[in-house]
């Protein structure tokens, strides 16, 4: 990727200067000129109103893949300033892949006053931490995060970049991949290194979850993949681990960012328990027959201290908000206990919950596929079984 200024087109308007997060543009005789800070992140090209800044992309087969080394994880910082669990999971997986490649693992942390997260990232497996610490990066916004990450990738050329398939990660990964013209495989469930080609084999469900596709990015770098939370396992935290911390200087001008966060409004639809973090989940399916019958699921969830999940059929019917959906197009969960009530067990639902430690299924059809993955199956009418369970759990709690 190369960037240059088509001087006759430059009007000296200076729109590029606040857009650059690396303070890499000077005006010389009223014409923009790059200095040594330029990372080719391309932010200025998008801000230039006259097309004077040209970003040239390499075509197929033109990228020198041997220039790219190292495995990166793009860290995610949760609203309370904690490291998102998916970051630890990706670092755990990254360590295995890096060992196969004989390379090291770096994590990129983007936020404000986040220096104290570096030792945590080290404990979960990072050899190096790139820190972007700036007030304008306190909350995720597509534009500044894309600009700083793209610049860092262009400068250091990692071979592999892993990102959590969270709302933030999905947005950022696709934007960065498009900016640097790299391939990106979303929602991977398995990642391996081919010992002969050293390519990252990125496996994910395809065609409605009926086949698993393994995708290769042969011609572009980095090889980029997103992975949902709870799909990979973190490695045990190592208290004594240390990482090299690289603070990356950035200059961000708010005037060049198209969005402002005015207010954060919490979802008050009853989904305040994070499904992906819950130890116990009680899920309802179309077998409930009526949206009002979700009250029974909520009652059982309350008795067990559980979060409420749902099948897509109930979400599509408008019985419950999409934030509760478990499955291929919903959330991937890995609770200690998953109770499926009136859910048939379609392959797309199983894709999101079959790795739960213990699955209890209640269904009146003894041939329902959910029983193929259930550790305990109750063949019966949920309107009889669930109230009996609620009464039994309440009694044990001494209510
Ligand atoms: C591309 C794609 C992505 C998808 N993504 C998802 C996804 O992320 N999550 C998801 O869940 N689905 C997903 N689906 C939909 C999926 O294929 C199924 O249609 C859906 O999971 C069915 O939901 P269900 O089990 O609630 O309903 P049904 O399949 O209709 O099953 C209802 C079950 O309830 C039982 N039942 C009925 N009455 C009672 C009773 N009184 N007591 C006990 N049992 C009873 C029935 O025997 C039946 O097994 C996706 C589909 C596609 C094509």
């Amino acid at each position: 990727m190369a960037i240059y200024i088509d001087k006759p087109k430059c009007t000296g308007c200076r729109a590029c200067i606040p857009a650059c997060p690396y303070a890499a543009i000077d005006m010389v005789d009223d014409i923009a000129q790059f200095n040594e800070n330029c990372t080719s992140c391309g932010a200025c090209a998008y801000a230039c109103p006259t097309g004077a800044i040209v970003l040239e992309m390499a075509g197929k087969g033109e990228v020198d893949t041997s220039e790219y080394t190292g495995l990166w994880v793009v860290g995610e910082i949760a609203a309370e300033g904690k490291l998102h669990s998916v970051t630890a999971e990706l670092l755990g997986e990254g360590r295995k892949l890096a060992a196969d490649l004989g390379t090291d693992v770096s994590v990129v942390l983007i936020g404000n006053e986040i220096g104290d997260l570096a030792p945590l990232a080290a404990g979960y497996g990072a050899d190096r931490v790139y820190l972007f610490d700036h007030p304008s990066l306190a909350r995720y916004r597509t534009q500044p995060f894309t600009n700083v990450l793209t610049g860092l990738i262009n400068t250091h050329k990692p071979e592999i970049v892993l990102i959590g398939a969270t709302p933030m990660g999905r947005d950022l990964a696709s934007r960065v991949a498009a900016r640097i013209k790299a391939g990106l495989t979303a929602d991977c469930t398995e990642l391996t290194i081919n010992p002969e080609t050293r390519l990252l084999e990125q496996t994910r469900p395809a065609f409605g979850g009926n086949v698993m596709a393994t995708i290769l990015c042969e011609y572009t770098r980095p090889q980029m993949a997103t992975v949902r939370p709870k799909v990979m396992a973190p490695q045990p935290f190592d208290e004594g681990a240390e990482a090299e911390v690289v603070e990356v200087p950035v200059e961000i001008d708010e005037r060049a960012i198209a969005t402002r966060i005015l207010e954060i409004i919490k979802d008050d639809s009853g989904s305040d328990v994070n499904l992906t973090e819950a130890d116990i989940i009680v899920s309802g399916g179309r077998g409930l027959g009526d949206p009002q019958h979700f009250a029974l699921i909520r009652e059982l969830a309350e008795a067990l201290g559980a979060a409420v999940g749902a099948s897509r059929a109930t979400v599509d019917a408008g019985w419950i908000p999409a934030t509760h959906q478990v499955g291929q197009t919903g959330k991937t969960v890995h609770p200690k206990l998953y109770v499926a009530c009136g859910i048939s067990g379609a392959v797309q639902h199983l894709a999101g919950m079959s790795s739960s430690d213990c699955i209890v299924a209640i269904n009146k059809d003894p041939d329902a596929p959910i029983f193929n993955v259930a550790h305990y199956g109750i063949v019966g009418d949920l309107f009889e079984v669930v109230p009996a369970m609620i009464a039994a759990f309440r009694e044990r709690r001494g209510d």
Side-chain angles (χ1 to χ4, degrees):
M1 195 157 81
I3 193 162
Y4 68 89
I5 292 165
D6 186 351
K7 287 185 181 168
K9 284 191 180 166
C10 178
T11 59
C13 74
R14 295 167 186 256
C16 52
I17 291 180
C20 174
Y22 289 98
I25 305 174
D26 302 319
M27 296 304 288
V28 178
D29 298 331
D30 253 354
I31 301 285
Q33 193 168 299
F34 295 124
N35 63 37
E36 66 285 355
N37 294 341
C38 180
T39 63
S40 306
C41 76
C44 56
Y46 290 90
C48 176
T50 62
I53 302 181
V54 185
L55 199 55
E56 270 188 348
M57 304 293 179
K60 184 177 171 185
E62 287 173 10
V63 174
D64 181 358
T65 55
S66 67
E67 287 182 352
Y68 291 75
T69 56
L71 182 145
W72 285 14
V73 168
V74 178
E76 179 159 347
I77 297 163
E80 327 77 60
K82 290 189 195 145
L83 208 56
H84 193 295
S85 57
V86 76
T87 305
E89 292 156 18
L90 292 181
L91 282 169
E93 184 65 16
R95 279 247 68 94
K96 289 188 226 153
L97 299 170
D100 290 345
L101 283 169
T103 190
D104 57 10
V105 177
S106 302
V107 66
V108 185
L109 296 180
I110 308 173
N112 186 35
E113 297 182 355
I114 50 166
D116 55 334
L117 296 179
L120 264 184
Y124 283 116
D127 299 306
R128 187 177 305 102
V129 182
Y130 289 108
L131 268 187
F132 285 102
D133 209 323
H134 192 283
S136 291
L137 300 171
R139 295 264 182 201
Y140 177 69
R141 281 182 290 171
T142 312
Q143 210 181 350
F145 274 54
T146 302
N147 291 343
V148 299
L149 183 58
T150 305
L152 197 71
I153 290 174
N154 286 339
T155 306
H156 296 284
K157 299 188 187 316
E159 193 170 1
I160 294 173
V161 175
L162 306 181
I163 306 184
T166 57
M168 174 197 120
R170 286 170 198 270
D171 187 67
L172 180 62
S174 51
R175 187 69 178 258
V176 169
R179 181 79 72 82
I180 61 178
K181 292 279 184 286
L184 168 67
T185 308
D187 286 346
C188 295
T189 52
E190 194 184 341
L191 297 168
T192 47
I193 300 292
N194 183 305
E196 277 158 33
T197 60
R198 288 175 58 87
L199 285 170
L200 179 67
E201 296 181 336
Q202 306 160 79
T203 304
R204 55 150 297 151
F207 298 108
N210 291 315
V211 294
M212 299 302 280
T214 297
I215 294 161
L216 304 175
C217 295
E218 287 179 83
Y219 302 105
T220 56
R221 288 294 180 275
Q223 300 162 86
M224 294 181 66
T226 66
V227 180
R228 289 188 192 191
K230 301 283 179 188
V231 171
M232 306 294 183
Q235 62 174 25
F237 187 73
D238 178 357
E239 283 285 351
E242 283 184 18
E244 176 195 358
V245 178
V246 182
E247 289 184 31
V248 190
V250 278
E251 281 186 24
I252 299 174
D253 188 330
E254 276 292 331
R255 288 173 303 170
I257 304 174
T259 51
R260 303 265 175 283
I261 296 174
L262 302 179
E263 193 185 351
I264 309 260
I265 301 165
K266 251 193 123 186
D267 176 5
D268 60 358
S269 60
S271 62
D272 48 335
V273 182
N274 186 348
L275 268 187
T276 53
E277 304 289 333
D279 278 342
I280 306 178
I281 296 172
V282 180
S283 280
R286 190 151 38 197
L288 286 168
D290 186 291
Q292 289 179 1
H293 295 152
F294 253 105
L296 201 56
I297 300 298
R298 290 199 183 89
E299 249 186 275
L300 179 57
E302 195 271 327
L304 284 169
V308 172
S311 71
R312 176 159 156 183
T314 61
V315 170
D316 286 351
W319 294 1
I320 189 162
T323 42
H324 293 265
Q325 185 184 318
V326 172
Q328 187 191 315
T329 42
K331 295 199 169 109
T332 302
V333 297
H334 185 132
K336 291 185 180 137
L337 174 63
Y338 188 89
V339 186
C341 310
I343 292 178
S344 58
V347 64
Q348 297 88 357
H349 188 81
L350 302 186
M353 48 62 76
S354 58
S355 67
S356 305
D357 291 348
C358 178
I359 299 169
V360 176
I362 304 153
N363 198 304
K364 66 180 184 188
D365 174 7
D367 296 323
I370 191 77
F371 290 128
N372 297 334
V373 297
H375 300 89
Y376 299 94
I378 303 172
V379 179
D381 187 335
L382 71 89
F383 296 105
E384 290 168 17
V385 177
V386 174
M389 288 170 85
I390 295 168
F393 288 123
R394 284 189 178 152
E395 197 182 314
R396 283 192 87 172
R397 268 193 345 196
D399 289 5

